[in-house]
Amino acid sequence: PTDSREIATTLRKEAYDFKFDFGYDVPVDILAQRLGNQHQSFTQNAGMRIRAVITFLIGIDEEKGPQLYKIDPAGSVTGYSACFAGPKDQEGMNHLEKQMKQKPEPTKNESIQLTISALQHVLSADFKATDLEVGVVSSDNVEFQKLTAEQIEEHLNILHDRD
């Protein structure tokens, strides 16, 4: 938790400083690159402890649209359309890639269902609505929204009917 808080504080400071210097909000790709550079510099100094957190930065750029970046503790910054992290991340990424090839630009609801189905596939489990927490940010509504159990249940029912 300490590393996560430190990263959040660093990102807030970077965003504030950028806006102060340039007069507009920092683009997500620049923020991701700055965090990656900082992480990478920690690997070069013997007195610095590497932060043990994989960071996802998600934002909606005015010019580029929705952006998703994954920054690992070594400082590698990678942009994705959909991403997975954890013990079975490669299996999850393979599932997401396969699904994204079939439907490269899913709707908001299709994206939610894709995410839930990827979790079900990787963990080989059927979920109840109370087992999941789903957060959504879209181009239409940039405010973070947490789905209710009823909304999650609707998506689970659609996935179940599809199978």
Side-chain angles (χ1 to χ4, degrees), residues 17-163:
D17 290 346
F18 188 93
K19 187 163 188 169
F20 182 80
D21 291 342
F22 300 105
Y24 62 95
D25 291 332
V26 62
V28 182
D29 57 333
I30 292 175
L31 196 58
Q33 197 59 52
R34 286 186 178 185
L35 183 64
N37 290 343
Q38 187 180 64
H39 280 8
Q40 204 279 327
S41 70
F42 287 176
T43 65
Q44 296 175 345
N45 298 321
M48 306 283 294
R49 184 180 67 80
I50 296 174
R51 294 175 176 154
V53 176
I54 293 175
T55 307
F56 288 101
L57 283 183
I58 303 165
I60 299 174
D61 189 275
E62 291 177 4
E63 296 174 7
K64 299 178 185 177
Q67 303 278 298
L68 167 63
Y69 290 93
K70 179 179 177 183
I71 302 105
D72 70 14
S76 173
V77 178
T78 312
Y80 291 99
S81 295
C83 193
F84 219 91
K88 296 185 177 184
D89 64 348
Q90 191 57 53
E91 187 178 346
M93 287 298 291
N94 291 341
H95 181 78
L96 289 172
E97 284 177 20
K98 184 174 140 185
Q99 297 299 319
M100 293 293 286
K101 281 184 184 174
Q102 294 173 4
K103 182 95 175 173
E105 298 214 15
T107 64
K108 182 172 99 172
N109 286 333
E110 289 170 339
S111 296
I112 293 167
Q113 292 158 16
L114 172 63
T115 304
I116 294 170
S117 73
L119 279 172
Q120 288 177 328
H121 174 77
V122 170
L123 299 176
S124 301
D126 287 328
F127 295 111
K128 296 181 284 188
T130 56
D131 295 337
L132 298 171
E133 288 185 15
V134 179
V136 179
V137 177
S138 67
S139 299
D140 303 333
N141 185 2
V142 295
E143 294 295 318
F144 181 84
Q145 296 176 324
K146 184 177 170 185
L147 298 186
T148 64
E150 293 79 25
Q151 291 171 315
I152 295 171
E153 187 66 41
E154 288 176 32
H155 290 291
L156 289 170
N157 289 336
I158 291 170
L159 287 172
H160 181 69
D161 292 345
R162 209 184 292 167
D163 294 340

